[in-house]
Amino acid sequence: MLSQLTPAPLDPILSLTMAFREDQRENKMDLGIGVYKDASGHTPIMAAVAQAQEKLIQIQDTKSYVGLAGNEVFNQAMMKLVLGEKSAAYARAAAVQTPGASGALRMLADLIKQARPNAVVWLSNPSYVNHQPVMEAAGLKVAFYDYFDSDKMQVNEAAMLASLEAATADDIVLLHGCCHNPTGADLSLEGWEAVAQLALKKGFTPFVDIAYQGFGDGIEADTQGIRLLAERVPELLIATSCSKSFGLYRERTGAAIIVGESLEASNVAKGRILQLARSTYTMPPDHGAAVVATILTDPQLTQIWEDELNAMQARLQRLRQGLVAAFQARGCQRFDFIVEHKGMFSHSGLAVSEIDRLREEFGIYIVGDGRINIAGMQEDKLTILAEAILSVI
């Protein structure tokens, strides 16, 4: 049996990380995988997370199963964080804890397959590298809508809306809640309103992946679009992650949120997801969700977390400004758009040959599609990075 298998294709991001680890050069830079690093190049444990873990050690008295839905306190806290506790959408929503946002994407994809087996899932062009494989693994068809203007390095909202005119009432449109991956270019609030109006006109169901809440304009500001959409449309699917916002990468902490026309409808969908989970992973890991629940139900820890996340967001913006300043100091304004992008990533516009040279000649690792992880940069290396890029373009 096993002899019939052929080698799996390498993951474009994870394989880059492996190559980086094997690189012995001292000044190498990993600007590929989406992980936040501090000024020393280290991915820290957030202060609120460390304190929550200490608190859990003192109060947790069992390692028994938590149930198919995971930590229900966590589920409620994530719905409040994304939708807002006082919103009408929150009152008709239900949630299931999942193994990261990727687990949420798969569970919701499987739910779509049960409810609308012939649905087409529309993805932005480009989109997160794992969106298409997850949807297709669930047996769903995928199509792409225009999104990024590679000349202006911003969202082309008119082209996006024109593309989505082809979506039908059976279809699903997947959107990035904030900090678009891989481009860093986000919809305007007017764009979200236009998508909501189009969803009502065409009848398609929006599906929002929000993995970077707090890294764009702030914890509350980053939910403006998704909350607008949730209040306008009858049904909404949401995948959310705690990997970035809480620095819980390895804990695989996420949630699938369903906003139905009524709470009863959402709970029916939740029951279906629990059935799907039972045949997949059964129950999600506890630790990360317990940490997040501890933080979000303790006002003091919540404030510590918010302050630290806001500081991380502000540092990302300074890194963007610093890199652009380094280019401008050398007479180059080609990359000025980087300061207008949001979150961890920016689409650099670099060609594959230029990306290859950066890796081979300078030990600078960038994903082949040109995505640069701003959160992987260090202040004292911005000049080195700018000079290396200028030497290959």
Side-chain angles (χ1 to χ4, degrees):
M1 177 184 74
L2 300 181
S3 63
Q4 304 304 309
L5 297 174
T6 57
L10 293 175
D11 183 278
I13 298 175
L14 300 183
S15 60
L16 196 70
T17 300
M18 293 173 62
F20 174 81
R21 289 175 179 170
E22 294 172 0
D23 194 324
Q24 299 301 309
R25 286 173 285 187
E26 290 185 3
N27 292 322
K28 61 182 181 178
M29 297 184 203
D30 182 7
L31 305 182
I33 193 167
V35 173
Y36 178 87
K37 297 180 182 179
D38 60 20
S40 64
H42 176 64
T43 301
I45 296 175
M46 296 179 74
V49 168
Q51 291 184 39
Q53 290 183 139
E54 289 296 325
K55 189 174 181 179
L56 284 172
I57 289 172
Q58 299 301 318
I59 64 174
Q60 197 173 65
D61 60 0
T62 183
K63 291 295 182 182
S64 183
Y65 295 121
V66 294
L68 292 173
N71 187 320
E72 290 286 21
V73 175
F74 164 83
N75 291 336
Q76 292 295 316
M78 292 307 294
M79 289 196 300
K80 292 177 184 177
L81 190 66
V82 174
L83 296 171
E85 185 175 7
K86 297 181 180 179
S87 71
Y90 171 75
R92 55 189 175 93
V96 174
Q97 181 198 335
T98 57
S102 290
L105 287 168
R106 181 53 192 266
M107 288 298 95
L108 290 169
D110 286 341
L111 181 70
I112 294 165
K113 185 63 177 178
Q114 283 193 354
R116 291 182 181 171
N118 296 318
V120 174
V121 180
W122 291 76
L123 308 177
S124 65
N125 182 21
S127 193
Y128 169 49
V129 69
N130 211 26
H131 279 158
Q132 183 174 359
V134 169
M135 298 302 135
E136 291 180 339
L140 296 166
K141 297 177 182 178
V142 168
F144 292 88
Y145 58 85
D146 291 334
Y147 184 80
F148 190 64
D149 185 328
S150 57
D151 292 326
K152 297 180 179 179
M153 305 302 278
Q154 293 295 341
V155 184
N156 187 333
E157 294 183 353
M160 174 184 176
L161 294 168
S163 292
L164 290 177
E165 284 285 346
T168 72
D170 284 333
D171 291 349
I172 311 295
V173 174
L174 201 157
L175 306 154
H176 297 230
C178 64
C179 308
H180 185 273
N181 178 2
T183 69
D186 283 354
L187 281 174
S188 66
L189 198 57
E190 293 76 17
W192 282 99
E193 178 65 52
V195 170
Q197 291 177 5
L198 189 60
L200 293 172
K201 171 187 170 184
K202 304 294 294 185
F204 62 74
T205 300
F207 182 172
V208 180
D209 183 357
I210 180 164
Y212 306 95
Q213 186 177 349
F215 276 88
D217 293 319
I219 298 167
E220 287 292 306
D222 285 347
T223 65
Q224 280 189 308
I226 195 171
R227 291 182 183 183
L228 182 154
L229 195 60
E231 295 298 324
R232 300 284 197 280
V233 300
E235 295 181 341
L236 174 66
L237 305 178
I238 303 168
T240 184
S241 170
C242 298
S243 292
K244 277 71 177 181
S245 301
F246 291 85
L248 291 170
Y249 303 93
R250 66 175 62 175
E251 304 298 349
R252 309 311 301 132
T253 307
I257 301 173
I258 312 104
V259 182
E261 290 190 275
S262 66
L263 181 58
E264 180 182 10
S266 295
N267 280 329
V268 169
K270 178 175 179 175
R272 285 288 187 167
I273 292 178
L274 297 184
Q275 183 184 42
L276 291 164
R278 179 61 171 145
S279 63
T280 308
Y281 55 81
T282 299
M283 280 173 267
D286 172 64
H287 183 72
V291 166
V292 173
T294 300
I295 292 171
L296 295 180
T297 55
D298 181 322
Q300 184 176 0
L301 286 179
T302 300
Q303 190 61 58
I304 293 170
W305 168 69
E306 289 181 354
D307 290 344
E308 189 166 7
L309 183 54
N310 289 337
M312 292 162 69
Q313 183 272 336
R315 179 170 174 267
L316 287 179
Q317 193 58 30
R318 290 196 301 274
L319 286 168
R320 290 180 179 279
Q321 293 166 349
L323 181 60
V324 168
F327 282 123
Q328 290 178 343
R330 287 153 184 80
C332 176
Q333 295 182 320
R334 170 179 163 178
F335 299 99
D336 285 6
F337 62 85
I338 288 175
V339 296
E340 299 176 18
H341 289 173
K342 297 175 183 178
M344 279 192 166
F345 307 115
S346 271
H347 192 289
S348 65
L350 294 172
V352 172
S353 59
E354 295 165 342
I355 292 169
D356 289 344
R357 285 188 60 193
L358 284 173
R359 182 180 66 254
E360 294 164 3
E361 298 175 23
F362 301 96
I364 296 172
Y365 288 73
I366 295 172
V367 181
D369 63 5
R371 186 191 81 173
I372 293 181
N373 177 24
I374 303 296
M377 297 179 183
Q378 295 164 252
E379 287 84 348
D380 60 352
K381 293 183 178 180
L382 294 179
T383 296
I384 296 172
L385 176 60
E387 290 181 344
I389 291 174
L390 290 174
S391 73
V392 302
I393 62 175

